[in-house]
Every structure is written in structure tokens, then in C-alpha cells.
């Protein structure tokens, strides 16, 4: 066997089982396909972002901000997106620099700023997000009648992961 050829998820797990039988590798049955699906979706969406003024992460931020009825603090946005505060802070600085969001002082907490989407940000997200959704629908159409089962399984996974996290 060529040692330079990547193994599939089961072959990789089996290598770990053989080398380290003391490890519980059962999570790899769930995590490996999940990571692979995420990577494949990112590849499938590349065509949407090739000529876009946004990155996928910036899109996520603007999608969350688009229909909020009031400003939000960065910490809350980081929680919703499931990323670090530092990552959100960097994205917000870039988006603000390009005029796609606005930040203003938070009178209730001087350590945080209130974030809103700007009119330019609305224009960008309203133009790009439909293309993003169309591409997602296209690549996921192959689920067919299994779609509801996949959604149910993913919702169960999310609830399980949420329960496992410390309460903030």
C-alpha cells in the first residue's frame, strides 16, 4: 500500500485502533463524515465566492445581521456563529472598514460596541445570498426523500452538542 495515499475515514480509524487500542475512536464515525461534508460543501460553494466581495465567513455575519430589529454585541454574534470573539472582532473590523457594518458605543457596557448592518451591507447580502442559497439547494437536491431524515439527525447532533457544552 502507498503510504502517501490518504485513507478513507474507516481506514484511518482502524489505523488508530491498531496503533492505540487504548483510545475510544467511536466518535470518528460521526465526526469524520461531518468534517468531510463541511469540506465538500465549502468546495461546492466556491463558485459563489470566486468573484464575490465577501468571504463565506463574512457572509455568515451579514446573514445574521440582515434582519435583526436591534443592534447586537459582538459576543452574542460570536455565540450564534459558533466562533471565537477574536474571529468575530477581526471580521467586524474588516466589514466596518469596507462600510458593510456600523459599530457604535454601547451605553450599557463601555467594553462592547453595538453592531448593525449598513445600507451597503444590505445591498451586498441581498445580491449575494440568493446565489448562495441557490447553490446550496442545487448540491443538496440529491438528498431526495432522505432530506427530512438528514435534517432530523443533524438537529439531534446539534442538541447533543449543545447539551455537552458548559453553560455560559
Amino acid at each position: 500500500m502507498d503510504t502517501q495515499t490518504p485513507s478513507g475515514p474507516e481506514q484511518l480509524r482502524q489505523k488508530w485502533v491498531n496503533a492505540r487500542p487504548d483510545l475510544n475512536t467511536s466518535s470518528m464515525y460521526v465526526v469524520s463524515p461531518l468534517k468531510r461534508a463541511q469540506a465538500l460543501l465549502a468546495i461546492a460553494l466556491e463558485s459563489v465566492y470566486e468573484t464575490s466581495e465577501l468571504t463565506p465567513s463574512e457572509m455568515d455575519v451579514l446573514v445574521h445581521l440582515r434582519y435583526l430589529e436591534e443592534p447586537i454585541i459582538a459576543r452574542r454574534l460570536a455565540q450564534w456563529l459558533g466562533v471565537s470573539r477574536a474571529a468575530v472582532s477581526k471580521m467586524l473590523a474588516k466589514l466596518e472598514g469596507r462600510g458593510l457594518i456600523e459599530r457604535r458605543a454601547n451605553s450599557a457596557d463601555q467594553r462592547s460596541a453595538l453592531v448593525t448592518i449598513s445600507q451597503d451591507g444590505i445591498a451586498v447580502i441581498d445580491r449575494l445570498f440568493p446565489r448562495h442559497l441557490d447553490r446550496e439547494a442545487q448540491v443538496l437536491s440529491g438528498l431526495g426523500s432522505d432530506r427530512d431524515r438528514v435534517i432530523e439527525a443533524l438537529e439531534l447532533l446539534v442538541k447533543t452538542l449543545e447539551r455537552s457544552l458548559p453553560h455560559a
Side-chain angles (χ1 to χ4, degrees):
M1 181 170 130
D2 181 358
T3 58
Q4 299 302 312
T5 304
S7 300
E10 178 50 29
Q11 292 84 6
L12 180 61
R13 191 189 78 77
Q14 193 58 50
K15 286 179 182 182
W16 276 96
V17 167
N18 294 340
R20 293 287 308 273
D22 57 309
L23 296 178
N24 177 358
T25 60
S26 64
S27 63
M28 293 175 79
Y29 284 113
V30 175
V31 175
S32 292
L34 188 62
K35 287 182 176 184
R36 182 78 176 133
Q38 183 180 17
L40 291 170
L41 182 59
I43 291 167
L45 290 171
E46 282 178 352
S47 63
V48 173
Y49 294 96
E50 286 174 341
T51 59
S52 168
E53 60 266 54
L54 295 178
T55 67
S57 297
E58 292 169 339
M59 166 79 86
D60 288 344
V61 170
L62 294 181
V63 164
H64 277 80
L65 294 176
R66 175 60 176 98
Y67 290 104
L68 288 181
E69 294 180 12
E70 55 189 50
I72 188 171
I73 59 173
R75 183 179 75 239
R76 174 68 63 193
L77 192 55
Q79 289 170 338
W80 283 356
L81 295 171
V83 298
S84 71
R85 291 184 211 176
V88 164
S89 181
K90 278 183 172 181
M91 279 188 279
L92 292 177
K94 288 178 183 179
L95 290 168
E96 183 179 30
R98 294 185 351 241
L100 301 177
I101 64 149
E102 297 167 355
R103 290 194 273 190
R104 68 175 197 273
N106 182 356
S107 59
D109 181 357
Q110 296 302 316
R111 297 169 296 163
S112 66
L114 298 172
V115 179
T116 56
I117 191 169
S118 68
Q119 289 302 311
D120 286 346
I122 290 171
V124 167
I125 200 70
D126 286 355
R127 182 175 60 252
L128 186 58
F129 195 50
R131 289 180 41 218
H132 177 101
L133 289 174
D134 286 346
R135 183 64 181 138
E136 284 180 340
Q138 182 183 29
V139 300
L140 296 175
S141 66
L143 290 174
S145 62
D146 290 327
R147 183 177 187 274
D148 289 341
R149 278 188 329 120
V150 170
I151 292 168
E152 187 177 324
L154 290 170
E155 288 173 349
L156 174 61
L157 179 59
V158 167
K159 287 177 186 171
T160 300
L161 292 170
E162 286 174 341
R163 283 192 305 265
S164 73
L165 298 176
H167 298 291

